[in-house]
Amino acid sequence: VSDKNVVTVKGPKGTLTQTIDPAIKVKTEGAELVFERPTDLKHHRAMHGLYRALVANMVKGVSEGFVIEQELVGVGYRATTKGQRLDLALGFSHQVALELPAEVKVSAAQEKGKNPVIRLESANKQLIGAVAAKLRALRKPEPYKGKGVRFVGENVRRKAGNADRRFDPQRAGQCHDPFPLIGLDLAGDHQRRLAAQARIQARVSLE
C-alpha cells in the first residue's frame, strides 16, 4: 500500500493495482489488508464494501486467475484465433475480427458434434468480464432457436414459434361457443327455416 492509497498486488499470474478513495484507510496487518471507513454513512459503507471486493478479486486473480468459457450455437458458427486476434463466423455476410487486450488470453476449440467454445483467461476480473460481454453482444442468443453466443451452462429462455400455434381442428372442436355474448343459435335458426319452408309447401299444395 503506497502513501497515495494505491494498493498493488503481485502474484504468479501478474500484477494489478487499484487506487482507493482517500476516505477509506488501508493498512497491512501481517498477511492481511484491513479496510477502515470513517463513518457509517451510506456512501462510506458502499465504498468500504466496494474496495474490499475489488482487492479480493485482485488477490484471487493474480494467484488463481479467472476463466470464462462461451459457446457458439448455430449452423456454420465457428471461431479461430491467431495470437490476440479472434475471428468469428456468426451468420453474418462477413467475418467478425476482434483484437483482444494483451492481459486476456484467448483460445478456441471445436470438437466434432459439439458447439465451438471460446476460452478466456485473465487475472483482471473486470477486464475479462467486459471482453466476454462484448463477445456476447455481437450475437445475443435469440429466444426461438437459441442461436448466438452464450456462456457455457447459460440457460436461455425460449419462446414458442408460430409453428406451435397452428390451427388444430381437434382442439377447436373442444372449444366453447365462439360467440357467447351474441347468443347465436345457428342450429335453431336452421330448424325454423326448414319448418317455415314446409308450411309454405303445405299451403301451396292445399291451394
Side-chain angles (χ1 to χ4, degrees), residues 132-170:
K134 185 175 182 178
L135 290 178
R136 188 178 185 275
L138 293 175
R139 192 71 149 179
K140 293 183 179 180
E142 51 94 14
Y144 296 102
K145 294 184 179 180
K147 297 190 299 182
V149 181
R150 68 172 72 173
F151 296 101
V152 173
E154 179 182 357
N155 183 25
V156 178
R157 297 184 63 180
R158 304 290 290 275
K159 292 182 179 180
N162 292 331
D164 298 331
R165 303 176 183 175
R166 289 180 294 188
F167 178 74
D168 187 353
Q170 293 184 353

PDB file of all heavy atoms in Angstrom, residues 132-170:
ATOM      1  N   ALA A 132     -15.909 -10.572 -22.367  1.00  0.00           N
ATOM      2  CA  ALA A 132     -16.935 -11.592 -22.553  1.00  0.00           C
ATOM      3  C   ALA A 132     -18.293 -10.966 -22.881  1.00  0.00           C
ATOM      4  O   ALA A 132     -19.038 -11.482 -23.727  1.00  0.00           O
ATOM      5  CB  ALA A 132     -17.050 -12.463 -21.301  1.00  0.00           C
ATOM      6  N   ALA A 133     -18.616  -9.855 -22.242  1.00  0.00           N
ATOM      7  CA  ALA A 133     -19.879  -9.170 -22.528  1.00  0.00           C
ATOM      8  C   ALA A 133     -19.907  -8.630 -23.949  1.00  0.00           C
ATOM      9  O   ALA A 133     -20.943  -8.670 -24.628  1.00  0.00           O
ATOM     10  CB  ALA A 133     -20.100  -8.041 -21.519  1.00  0.00           C
ATOM     11  N   LYS A 134     -18.766  -8.134 -24.420  1.00  0.00           N
ATOM     12  CA  LYS A 134     -18.695  -7.623 -25.793  1.00  0.00           C
ATOM     13  C   LYS A 134     -18.871  -8.748 -26.808  1.00  0.00           C
ATOM     14  O   LYS A 134     -19.563  -8.589 -27.817  1.00  0.00           O
ATOM     15  CB  LYS A 134     -17.356  -6.918 -26.020  1.00  0.00           C
ATOM     16  CG  LYS A 134     -17.230  -6.254 -27.375  1.00  0.00           C
ATOM     17  CD  LYS A 134     -15.939  -5.466 -27.506  1.00  0.00           C
ATOM     18  CE  LYS A 134     -15.866  -4.776 -28.864  1.00  0.00           C
ATOM     19  NZ  LYS A 134     -14.623  -3.962 -28.988  1.00  0.00           N
ATOM     20  N   LEU A 135     -18.271  -9.905 -26.532  1.00  0.00           N
ATOM     21  CA  LEU A 135     -18.433 -11.050 -27.431  1.00  0.00           C
ATOM     22  C   LEU A 135     -19.888 -11.498 -27.482  1.00  0.00           C
ATOM     23  O   LEU A 135     -20.428 -11.794 -28.547  1.00  0.00           O
ATOM     24  CB  LEU A 135     -17.540 -12.209 -26.980  1.00  0.00           C
ATOM     25  CG  LEU A 135     -16.038 -12.025 -27.148  1.00  0.00           C
ATOM     26  CD1 LEU A 135     -15.299 -13.236 -26.602  1.00  0.00           C
ATOM     27  CD2 LEU A 135     -15.674 -11.803 -28.602  1.00  0.00           C
ATOM     28  N   ARG A 136     -20.529 -11.555 -26.344  1.00  0.00           N
ATOM     29  CA  ARG A 136     -21.928 -11.992 -26.299  1.00  0.00           C
ATOM     30  C   ARG A 136     -22.838 -11.001 -27.014  1.00  0.00           C
ATOM     31  O   ARG A 136     -23.822 -11.374 -27.647  1.00  0.00           O
ATOM     32  CB  ARG A 136     -22.380 -12.168 -24.849  1.00  0.00           C
ATOM     33  CG  ARG A 136     -23.756 -12.798 -24.680  1.00  0.00           C
ATOM     34  CD  ARG A 136     -24.084 -12.961 -23.209  1.00  0.00           C
ATOM     35  NE  ARG A 136     -25.336 -13.663 -23.014  1.00  0.00           N
ATOM     36  CZ  ARG A 136     -26.538 -13.095 -23.021  1.00  0.00           C
ATOM     37  NH1 ARG A 136     -26.632 -11.782 -23.243  1.00  0.00           N
ATOM     38  NH2 ARG A 136     -27.631 -13.800 -22.832  1.00  0.00           N
ATOM     39  N   ALA A 137     -22.500  -9.699 -26.927  1.00  0.00           N
ATOM     40  CA  ALA A 137     -23.328  -8.679 -27.564  1.00  0.00           C
ATOM     41  C   ALA A 137     -23.248  -8.740 -29.087  1.00  0.00           C
ATOM     42  O   ALA A 137     -24.125  -8.202 -29.773  1.00  0.00           O
ATOM     43  CB  ALA A 137     -22.922  -7.290 -27.075  1.00  0.00           C
ATOM     44  N   LEU A 138     -22.216  -9.387 -29.635  1.00  0.00           N
ATOM     45  CA  LEU A 138     -22.112  -9.489 -31.092  1.00  0.00           C
ATOM     46  C   LEU A 138     -23.268 -10.288 -31.677  1.00  0.00           C
ATOM     47  O   LEU A 138     -23.738 -10.012 -32.780  1.00  0.00           O
ATOM     48  CB  LEU A 138     -20.783 -10.150 -31.478  1.00  0.00           C
ATOM     49  CG  LEU A 138     -19.517  -9.347 -31.179  1.00  0.00           C
ATOM     50  CD1 LEU A 138     -18.293 -10.176 -31.490  1.00  0.00           C
ATOM     51  CD2 LEU A 138     -19.500  -8.047 -31.973  1.00  0.00           C
ATOM     52  N   ARG A 139     -23.721 -11.312 -30.942  1.00  0.00           N
ATOM     53  CA  ARG A 139     -24.831 -12.145 -31.416  1.00  0.00           C
ATOM     54  C   ARG A 139     -25.513 -12.735 -30.184  1.00  0.00           C
ATOM     55  O   ARG A 139     -25.248 -13.848 -29.777  1.00  0.00           O
ATOM     56  CB  ARG A 139     -24.310 -13.254 -32.323  1.00  0.00           C
ATOM     57  CG  ARG A 139     -25.397 -13.990 -33.096  1.00  0.00           C
ATOM     58  CD  ARG A 139     -25.975 -13.106 -34.187  1.00  0.00           C
ATOM     59  NE  ARG A 139     -26.406 -13.880 -35.329  1.00  0.00           N
ATOM     60  CZ  ARG A 139     -26.958 -13.372 -36.410  1.00  0.00           C
ATOM     61  NH1 ARG A 139     -27.156 -12.066 -36.497  1.00  0.00           N
ATOM     62  NH2 ARG A 139     -27.330 -14.111 -37.415  1.00  0.00           N
ATOM     63  N   LYS A 140     -26.399 -11.959 -29.574  1.00  0.00           N
ATOM     64  CA  LYS A 140     -27.079 -12.434 -28.382  1.00  0.00           C
ATOM     65  C   LYS A 140     -27.956 -13.644 -28.707  1.00  0.00           C
ATOM     66  O   LYS A 140     -28.520 -13.719 -29.799  1.00  0.00           O
ATOM     67  CB  LYS A 140     -27.935 -11.316 -27.783  1.00  0.00           C
ATOM     68  CG  LYS A 140     -27.137 -10.159 -27.217  1.00  0.00           C
ATOM     69  CD  LYS A 140     -28.048  -9.135 -26.585  1.00  0.00           C
ATOM     70  CE  LYS A 140     -27.256  -7.980 -25.998  1.00  0.00           C
ATOM     71  NZ  LYS A 140     -28.156  -6.963 -25.379  1.00  0.00           N
ATOM     72  N   PRO A 141     -28.095 -14.582 -27.775  1.00  0.00           N
ATOM     73  CA  PRO A 141     -28.946 -15.752 -28.036  1.00  0.00           C
ATOM     74  C   PRO A 141     -30.385 -15.332 -28.301  1.00  0.00           C
ATOM     75  O   PRO A 141     -30.975 -14.592 -27.509  1.00  0.00           O
ATOM     76  CB  PRO A 141     -28.834 -16.559 -26.735  1.00  0.00           C
ATOM     77  CG  PRO A 141     -27.562 -16.094 -26.105  1.00  0.00           C
ATOM     78  CD  PRO A 141     -27.420 -14.662 -26.475  1.00  0.00           C
ATOM     79  N   GLU A 142     -30.926 -15.758 -29.448  1.00  0.00           N
ATOM     80  CA  GLU A 142     -32.311 -15.409 -29.746  1.00  0.00           C
ATOM     81  C   GLU A 142     -33.239 -16.435 -29.088  1.00  0.00           C
ATOM     82  O   GLU A 142     -32.862 -17.591 -28.885  1.00  0.00           O
ATOM     83  CB  GLU A 142     -32.528 -15.325 -31.263  1.00  0.00           C
ATOM     84  CG  GLU A 142     -32.030 -16.539 -32.037  1.00  0.00           C
ATOM     85  CD  GLU A 142     -33.142 -17.536 -32.238  1.00  0.00           C
ATOM     86  OE1 GLU A 142     -34.306 -17.163 -32.022  1.00  0.00           O
ATOM     87  OE2 GLU A 142     -32.847 -18.673 -32.604  1.00  0.00           O
ATOM     88  N   PRO A 143     -34.464 -16.029 -28.724  1.00  0.00           N
ATOM     89  CA  PRO A 143     -35.309 -16.868 -27.866  1.00  0.00           C
ATOM     90  C   PRO A 143     -36.037 -18.000 -28.569  1.00  0.00           C
ATOM     91  O   PRO A 143     -36.687 -18.799 -27.905  1.00  0.00           O
ATOM     92  CB  PRO A 143     -36.311 -15.850 -27.295  1.00  0.00           C
ATOM     93  CG  PRO A 143     -36.431 -14.811 -28.361  1.00  0.00           C
ATOM     94  CD  PRO A 143     -35.060 -14.711 -28.986  1.00  0.00           C
ATOM     95  N   TYR A 144     -35.979 -18.095 -29.899  1.00  0.00           N
ATOM     96  CA  TYR A 144     -36.751 -19.118 -30.608  1.00  0.00           C
ATOM     97  C   TYR A 144     -35.943 -20.391 -30.844  1.00  0.00           C
ATOM     98  O   TYR A 144     -36.367 -21.491 -30.491  1.00  0.00           O
ATOM     99  CB  TYR A 144     -37.280 -18.557 -31.928  1.00  0.00           C
ATOM    100  CG  TYR A 144     -38.259 -17.431 -31.717  1.00  0.00           C
ATOM    101  CD1 TYR A 144     -37.869 -16.103 -31.879  1.00  0.00           C
ATOM    102  CD2 TYR A 144     -39.564 -17.688 -31.316  1.00  0.00           C
ATOM    103  CE1 TYR A 144     -38.757 -15.067 -31.657  1.00  0.00           C
ATOM    104  CE2 TYR A 144     -40.456 -16.658 -31.088  1.00  0.00           C
ATOM    105  CZ  TYR A 144     -40.055 -15.355 -31.262  1.00  0.00           C
ATOM    106  OH  TYR A 144     -40.941 -14.326 -31.027  1.00  0.00           O
ATOM    107  N   LYS A 145     -34.757 -20.262 -31.427  1.00  0.00           N
ATOM    108  CA  LYS A 145     -33.907 -21.429 -31.649  1.00  0.00           C
ATOM    109  C   LYS A 145     -32.680 -21.443 -30.746  1.00  0.00           C
ATOM    110  O   LYS A 145     -31.937 -22.411 -30.738  1.00  0.00           O
ATOM    111  CB  LYS A 145     -33.467 -21.482 -33.114  1.00  0.00           C
ATOM    112  CG  LYS A 145     -34.622 -21.714 -34.088  1.00  0.00           C
ATOM    113  CD  LYS A 145     -34.116 -21.864 -35.515  1.00  0.00           C
ATOM    114  CE  LYS A 145     -35.269 -22.128 -36.472  1.00  0.00           C
ATOM    115  NZ  LYS A 145     -34.810 -22.282 -37.881  1.00  0.00           N
ATOM    116  N   GLY A 146     -32.464 -20.345 -30.025  1.00  0.00           N
ATOM    117  CA  GLY A 146     -31.337 -20.291 -29.103  1.00  0.00           C
ATOM    118  C   GLY A 146     -30.003 -20.032 -29.770  1.00  0.00           C
ATOM    119  O   GLY A 146     -28.959 -20.203 -29.140  1.00  0.00           O
ATOM    120  N   LYS A 147     -29.997 -19.606 -31.036  1.00  0.00           N
ATOM    121  CA  LYS A 147     -28.741 -19.376 -31.729  1.00  0.00           C
ATOM    122  C   LYS A 147     -28.073 -18.099 -31.216  1.00  0.00           C
ATOM    123  O   LYS A 147     -28.739 -17.123 -30.902  1.00  0.00           O
ATOM    124  CB  LYS A 147     -28.978 -19.264 -33.239  1.00  0.00           C
ATOM    125  CG  LYS A 147     -29.524 -20.527 -33.876  1.00  0.00           C
ATOM    126  CD  LYS A 147     -29.497 -20.441 -35.390  1.00  0.00           C
ATOM    127  CE  LYS A 147     -30.347 -19.303 -35.906  1.00  0.00           C
ATOM    128  NZ  LYS A 147     -30.362 -19.247 -37.386  1.00  0.00           N
ATOM    129  N   GLY A 148     -26.731 -18.130 -31.175  1.00  0.00           N
ATOM    130  CA  GLY A 148     -25.990 -16.953 -30.754  1.00  0.00           C
ATOM    131  C   GLY A 148     -24.805 -17.328 -29.887  1.00  0.00           C
ATOM    132  O   GLY A 148     -24.404 -18.488 -29.799  1.00  0.00           O
ATOM    133  N   VAL A 149     -24.225 -16.316 -29.231  1.00  0.00           N
ATOM    134  CA  VAL A 149     -23.081 -16.505 -28.334  1.00  0.00           C
ATOM    135  C   VAL A 149     -23.610 -16.537 -26.908  1.00  0.00           C
ATOM    136  O   VAL A 149     -24.261 -15.593 -26.468  1.00  0.00           O
ATOM    137  CB  VAL A 149     -22.051 -15.377 -28.498  1.00  0.00           C
ATOM    138  CG1 VAL A 149     -20.858 -15.609 -27.587  1.00  0.00           C
ATOM    139  CG2 VAL A 149     -21.597 -15.263 -29.952  1.00  0.00           C
ATOM    140  N   ARG A 150     -23.332 -17.610 -26.203  1.00  0.00           N
ATOM    141  CA  ARG A 150     -23.807 -17.739 -24.824  1.00  0.00           C
ATOM    142  C   ARG A 150     -22.683 -18.278 -23.938  1.00  0.00           C
ATOM    143  O   ARG A 150     -21.729 -18.874 -24.413  1.00  0.00           O
ATOM    144  CB  ARG A 150     -25.018 -18.657 -24.748  1.00  0.00           C
ATOM    145  CG  ARG A 150     -24.690 -20.113 -25.075  1.00  0.00           C
ATOM    146  CD  ARG A 150     -25.846 -21.043 -24.813  1.00  0.00           C
ATOM    147  NE  ARG A 150     -26.906 -20.892 -25.790  1.00  0.00           N
ATOM    148  CZ  ARG A 150     -27.961 -21.709 -25.839  1.00  0.00           C
ATOM    149  NH1 ARG A 150     -28.069 -22.704 -24.975  1.00  0.00           N
ATOM    150  NH2 ARG A 150     -28.888 -21.533 -26.763  1.00  0.00           N
ATOM    151  N   PHE A 151     -22.817 -18.055 -22.641  1.00  0.00           N
ATOM    152  CA  PHE A 151     -21.869 -18.621 -21.692  1.00  0.00           C
ATOM    153  C   PHE A 151     -22.139 -20.116 -21.549  1.00  0.00           C
ATOM    154  O   PHE A 151     -23.291 -20.561 -21.638  1.00  0.00           O
ATOM    155  CB  PHE A 151     -22.000 -17.937 -20.329  1.00  0.00           C
ATOM    156  CG  PHE A 151     -21.638 -16.475 -20.348  1.00  0.00           C
ATOM    157  CD1 PHE A 151     -22.630 -15.502 -20.378  1.00  0.00           C
ATOM    158  CD2 PHE A 151     -20.317 -16.077 -20.332  1.00  0.00           C
ATOM    159  CE1 PHE A 151     -22.305 -14.160 -20.400  1.00  0.00           C
ATOM    160  CE2 PHE A 151     -19.981 -14.736 -20.358  1.00  0.00           C
ATOM    161  CZ  PHE A 151     -20.973 -13.783 -20.393  1.00  0.00           C
ATOM    162  N   VAL A 152     -21.095 -20.885 -21.344  1.00  0.00           N
ATOM    163  CA  VAL A 152     -21.254 -22.325 -21.167  1.00  0.00           C
ATOM    164  C   VAL A 152     -22.082 -22.573 -19.914  1.00  0.00           C
ATOM    165  O   VAL A 152     -21.768 -22.071 -18.835  1.00  0.00           O
ATOM    166  CB  VAL A 152     -19.883 -23.019 -21.064  1.00  0.00           C
ATOM    167  CG1 VAL A 152     -20.050 -24.488 -20.702  1.00  0.00           C
ATOM    168  CG2 VAL A 152     -19.125 -22.889 -22.379  1.00  0.00           C
ATOM    169  N   GLY A 153     -23.169 -23.309 -20.072  1.00  0.00           N
ATOM    170  CA  GLY A 153     -24.070 -23.560 -18.950  1.00  0.00           C
ATOM    171  C   GLY A 153     -25.166 -22.532 -18.779  1.00  0.00           C
ATOM    172  O   GLY A 153     -26.009 -22.671 -17.876  1.00  0.00           O
ATOM    173  N   GLU A 154     -25.178 -21.500 -19.626  1.00  0.00           N
ATOM    174  CA  GLU A 154     -26.218 -20.463 -19.516  1.00  0.00           C
ATOM    175  C   GLU A 154     -27.572 -21.021 -19.948  1.00  0.00           C
ATOM    176  O   GLU A 154     -27.688 -21.737 -20.943  1.00  0.00           O
ATOM    177  CB  GLU A 154     -25.847 -19.269 -20.394  1.00  0.00           C
ATOM    178  CG  GLU A 154     -26.878 -18.145 -20.362  1.00  0.00           C
ATOM    179  CD  GLU A 154     -26.508 -16.995 -21.280  1.00  0.00           C
ATOM    180  OE1 GLU A 154     -25.432 -17.042 -21.896  1.00  0.00           O
ATOM    181  OE2 GLU A 154     -27.310 -16.035 -21.382  1.00  0.00           O
ATOM    182  N   ASN A 155     -28.594 -20.683 -19.201  1.00  0.00           N
ATOM    183  CA  ASN A 155     -29.956 -21.118 -19.515  1.00  0.00           C
ATOM    184  C   ASN A 155     -30.663 -20.005 -20.280  1.00  0.00           C
ATOM    185  O   ASN A 155     -30.912 -18.935 -19.741  1.00  0.00           O
ATOM    186  CB  ASN A 155     -30.722 -21.459 -18.229  1.00  0.00           C
ATOM    187  CG  ASN A 155     -32.116 -21.990 -18.507  1.00  0.00           C
ATOM    188  OD1 ASN A 155     -32.361 -22.531 -19.591  1.00  0.00           O
ATOM    189  ND2 ASN A 155     -33.010 -21.845 -17.561  1.00  0.00           N
ATOM    190  N   VAL A 156     -30.957 -20.262 -21.552  1.00  0.00           N
ATOM    191  CA  VAL A 156     -31.614 -19.270 -22.403  1.00  0.00           C
ATOM    192  C   VAL A 156     -33.120 -19.543 -22.402  1.00  0.00           C
ATOM    193  O   VAL A 156     -33.562 -20.652 -22.717  1.00  0.00           O
ATOM    194  CB  VAL A 156     -31.065 -19.331 -23.844  1.00  0.00           C
ATOM    195  CG1 VAL A 156     -31.791 -18.328 -24.734  1.00  0.00           C
ATOM    196  CG2 VAL A 156     -29.575 -19.055 -23.853  1.00  0.00           C
ATOM    197  N   ARG A 157     -33.892 -18.544 -22.044  1.00  0.00           N
ATOM    198  CA  ARG A 157     -35.353 -18.690 -22.043  1.00  0.00           C
ATOM    199  C   ARG A 157     -35.859 -18.755 -23.476  1.00  0.00           C
ATOM    200  O   ARG A 157     -35.527 -17.910 -24.298  1.00  0.00           O
ATOM    201  CB  ARG A 157     -36.004 -17.530 -21.293  1.00  0.00           C
ATOM    202  CG  ARG A 157     -35.623 -17.477 -19.819  1.00  0.00           C
ATOM    203  CD  ARG A 157     -36.362 -16.377 -19.092  1.00  0.00           C
ATOM    204  NE  ARG A 157     -37.792 -16.612 -19.102  1.00  0.00           N
ATOM    205  CZ  ARG A 157     -38.682 -15.791 -18.537  1.00  0.00           C
ATOM    206  NH1 ARG A 157     -38.272 -14.679 -17.944  1.00  0.00           N
ATOM    207  NH2 ARG A 157     -39.968 -16.064 -18.588  1.00  0.00           N
ATOM    208  N   ARG A 158     -36.655 -19.759 -23.748  1.00  0.00           N
ATOM    209  CA  ARG A 158     -37.127 -19.983 -25.109  1.00  0.00           C
ATOM    210  C   ARG A 158     -38.594 -19.585 -25.230  1.00  0.00           C
ATOM    211  O   ARG A 158     -39.369 -19.633 -24.270  1.00  0.00           O
ATOM    212  CB  ARG A 158     -36.976 -21.464 -25.476  1.00  0.00           C
ATOM    213  CG  ARG A 158     -35.558 -21.990 -25.326  1.00  0.00           C
ATOM    214  CD  ARG A 158     -34.629 -21.426 -26.371  1.00  0.00           C
ATOM    215  NE  ARG A 158     -34.931 -21.965 -27.678  1.00  0.00           N
ATOM    216  CZ  ARG A 158     -34.446 -23.119 -28.123  1.00  0.00           C
ATOM    217  NH1 ARG A 158     -33.619 -23.826 -27.369  1.00  0.00           N
ATOM    218  NH2 ARG A 158     -34.756 -23.559 -29.329  1.00  0.00           N
ATOM    219  N   LYS A 159     -38.979 -19.198 -26.458  1.00  0.00           N
ATOM    220  CA  LYS A 159     -40.355 -18.850 -26.781  1.00  0.00           C
ATOM    221  C   LYS A 159     -40.895 -19.836 -27.810  1.00  0.00           C
ATOM    222  O   LYS A 159     -40.142 -20.402 -28.591  1.00  0.00           O
ATOM    223  CB  LYS A 159     -40.451 -17.431 -27.345  1.00  0.00           C
ATOM    224  CG  LYS A 159     -40.133 -16.332 -26.358  1.00  0.00           C
ATOM    225  CD  LYS A 159     -40.305 -14.976 -27.018  1.00  0.00           C
ATOM    226  CE  LYS A 159     -40.008 -13.843 -26.050  1.00  0.00           C
ATOM    227  NZ  LYS A 159     -40.169 -12.523 -26.700  1.00  0.00           N
ATOM    228  N   ALA A 160     -42.212 -20.014 -27.805  1.00  0.00           N
ATOM    229  CA  ALA A 160     -42.835 -20.887 -28.793  1.00  0.00           C
ATOM    230  C   ALA A 160     -42.987 -20.130 -30.109  1.00  0.00           C
ATOM    231  O   ALA A 160     -43.437 -18.990 -30.142  1.00  0.00           O
ATOM    232  CB  ALA A 160     -44.198 -21.353 -28.296  1.00  0.00           C
ATOM    233  N   GLY A 161     -42.607 -20.767 -31.202  1.00  0.00           N
ATOM    234  CA  GLY A 161     -42.731 -20.134 -32.507  1.00  0.00           C
ATOM    235  C   GLY A 161     -44.128 -20.274 -33.075  1.00  0.00           C
ATOM    236  O   GLY A 161     -45.022 -20.885 -32.476  1.00  0.00           O
ATOM    237  N   ASN A 162     -44.351 -19.722 -34.261  1.00  0.00           N
ATOM    238  CA  ASN A 162     -45.666 -19.790 -34.896  1.00  0.00           C
ATOM    239  C   ASN A 162     -46.052 -21.218 -35.251  1.00  0.00           C
ATOM    240  O   ASN A 162     -47.235 -21.540 -35.353  1.00  0.00           O
ATOM    241  CB  ASN A 162     -45.686 -18.927 -36.162  1.00  0.00           C
ATOM    242  CG  ASN A 162     -45.594 -17.445 -35.838  1.00  0.00           C
ATOM    243  OD1 ASN A 162     -46.041 -17.026 -34.766  1.00  0.00           O
ATOM    244  ND2 ASN A 162     -45.030 -16.664 -36.727  1.00  0.00           N
ATOM    245  N   ALA A 163     -45.069 -22.084 -35.467  1.00  0.00           N
ATOM    246  CA  ALA A 163     -45.385 -23.465 -35.822  1.00  0.00           C
ATOM    247  C   ALA A 163     -46.125 -24.158 -34.688  1.00  0.00           C
ATOM    248  O   ALA A 163     -46.887 -25.099 -34.927  1.00  0.00           O
ATOM    249  CB  ALA A 163     -44.103 -24.226 -36.150  1.00  0.00           C
ATOM    250  N   ASP A 164     -45.902 -23.711 -33.447  1.00  0.00           N
ATOM    251  CA  ASP A 164     -46.592 -24.310 -32.306  1.00  0.00           C
ATOM    252  C   ASP A 164     -47.963 -23.704 -32.073  1.00  0.00           C
ATOM    253  O   ASP A 164     -48.673 -24.097 -31.157  1.00  0.00           O
ATOM    254  CB  ASP A 164     -45.746 -24.135 -31.037  1.00  0.00           C
ATOM    255  CG  ASP A 164     -44.416 -24.852 -31.158  1.00  0.00           C
ATOM    256  OD1 ASP A 164     -44.385 -25.860 -31.898  1.00  0.00           O
ATOM    257  OD2 ASP A 164     -43.430 -24.420 -30.537  1.00  0.00           O
ATOM    258  N   ARG A 165     -48.333 -22.710 -32.866  1.00  0.00           N
ATOM    259  CA  ARG A 165     -49.629 -22.051 -32.685  1.00  0.00           C
ATOM    260  C   ARG A 165     -50.569 -22.295 -33.860  1.00  0.00           C
ATOM    261  O   ARG A 165     -51.530 -21.572 -34.057  1.00  0.00           O
ATOM    262  CB  ARG A 165     -49.417 -20.542 -32.525  1.00  0.00           C
ATOM    263  CG  ARG A 165     -48.493 -20.198 -31.365  1.00  0.00           C
ATOM    264  CD  ARG A 165     -48.242 -18.703 -31.319  1.00  0.00           C
ATOM    265  NE  ARG A 165     -47.302 -18.349 -30.262  1.00  0.00           N
ATOM    266  CZ  ARG A 165     -46.835 -17.129 -30.058  1.00  0.00           C
ATOM    267  NH1 ARG A 165     -47.223 -16.140 -30.839  1.00  0.00           N
ATOM    268  NH2 ARG A 165     -45.976 -16.884 -29.090  1.00  0.00           N
ATOM    269  N   ARG A 166     -50.277 -23.311 -34.668  1.00  0.00           N
ATOM    270  CA  ARG A 166     -51.124 -23.586 -35.826  1.00  0.00           C
ATOM    271  C   ARG A 166     -52.495 -24.082 -35.402  1.00  0.00           C
ATOM    272  O   ARG A 166     -52.683 -24.643 -34.327  1.00  0.00           O
ATOM    273  CB  ARG A 166     -50.438 -24.627 -36.728  1.00  0.00           C
ATOM    274  CG  ARG A 166     -49.230 -24.084 -37.466  1.00  0.00           C
ATOM    275  CD  ARG A 166     -48.609 -25.135 -38.336  1.00  0.00           C
ATOM    276  NE  ARG A 166     -48.049 -26.211 -37.534  1.00  0.00           N
ATOM    277  CZ  ARG A 166     -47.310 -27.193 -38.033  1.00  0.00           C
ATOM    278  NH1 ARG A 166     -47.065 -27.242 -39.322  1.00  0.00           N
ATOM    279  NH2 ARG A 166     -46.825 -28.135 -37.251  1.00  0.00           N
ATOM    280  N   PHE A 167     -53.484 -23.924 -36.301  1.00  0.00           N
ATOM    281  CA  PHE A 167     -54.863 -24.295 -36.005  1.00  0.00           C
ATOM    282  C   PHE A 167     -54.987 -25.811 -35.852  1.00  0.00           C
ATOM    283  O   PHE A 167     -54.518 -26.573 -36.702  1.00  0.00           O
ATOM    284  CB  PHE A 167     -55.783 -23.813 -37.127  1.00  0.00           C
ATOM    285  CG  PHE A 167     -57.236 -24.194 -36.934  1.00  0.00           C
ATOM    286  CD1 PHE A 167     -58.011 -23.544 -36.002  1.00  0.00           C
ATOM    287  CD2 PHE A 167     -57.807 -25.220 -37.674  1.00  0.00           C
ATOM    288  CE1 PHE A 167     -59.333 -23.884 -35.825  1.00  0.00           C
ATOM    289  CE2 PHE A 167     -59.114 -25.576 -37.500  1.00  0.00           C
ATOM    290  CZ  PHE A 167     -59.893 -24.907 -36.576  1.00  0.00           C
ATOM    291  N   ASP A 168     -55.567 -26.251 -34.769  1.00  0.00           N
ATOM    292  CA  ASP A 168     -55.782 -27.665 -34.501  1.00  0.00           C
ATOM    293  C   ASP A 168     -57.284 -27.910 -34.480  1.00  0.00           C
ATOM    294  O   ASP A 168     -57.965 -27.491 -33.543  1.00  0.00           O
ATOM    295  CB  ASP A 168     -55.156 -28.051 -33.154  1.00  0.00           C
ATOM    296  CG  ASP A 168     -55.208 -29.556 -32.908  1.00  0.00           C
ATOM    297  OD1 ASP A 168     -55.842 -30.252 -33.725  1.00  0.00           O
ATOM    298  OD2 ASP A 168     -54.618 -30.009 -31.917  1.00  0.00           O
ATOM    299  N   PRO A 169     -57.840 -28.604 -35.486  1.00  0.00           N
ATOM    300  CA  PRO A 169     -59.292 -28.798 -35.531  1.00  0.00           C
ATOM    301  C   PRO A 169     -59.826 -29.607 -34.362  1.00  0.00           C
ATOM    302  O   PRO A 169     -60.948 -29.402 -33.914  1.00  0.00           O
ATOM    303  CB  PRO A 169     -59.519 -29.521 -36.868  1.00  0.00           C
ATOM    304  CG  PRO A 169     -58.193 -30.075 -37.238  1.00  0.00           C
ATOM    305  CD  PRO A 169     -57.172 -29.179 -36.648  1.00  0.00           C
ATOM    306  N   GLN A 170     -59.030 -30.523 -33.841  1.00  0.00           N
ATOM    307  CA  GLN A 170     -59.498 -31.312 -32.710  1.00  0.00           C
ATOM    308  C   GLN A 170     -59.658 -30.444 -31.477  1.00  0.00           C
ATOM    309  O   GLN A 170     -60.646 -30.545 -30.753  1.00  0.00           O
ATOM    310  CB  GLN A 170     -58.521 -32.455 -32.433  1.00  0.00           C
ATOM    311  CG  GLN A 170     -58.471 -33.504 -33.543  1.00  0.00           C
ATOM    312  CD  GLN A 170     -57.558 -34.652 -33.174  1.00  0.00           C
ATOM    313  OE1 GLN A 170     -56.865 -34.606 -32.161  1.00  0.00           O
ATOM    314  NE2 GLN A 170     -57.552 -35.673 -34.016  1.00  0.00           N
TER     315      GLN A 170
END
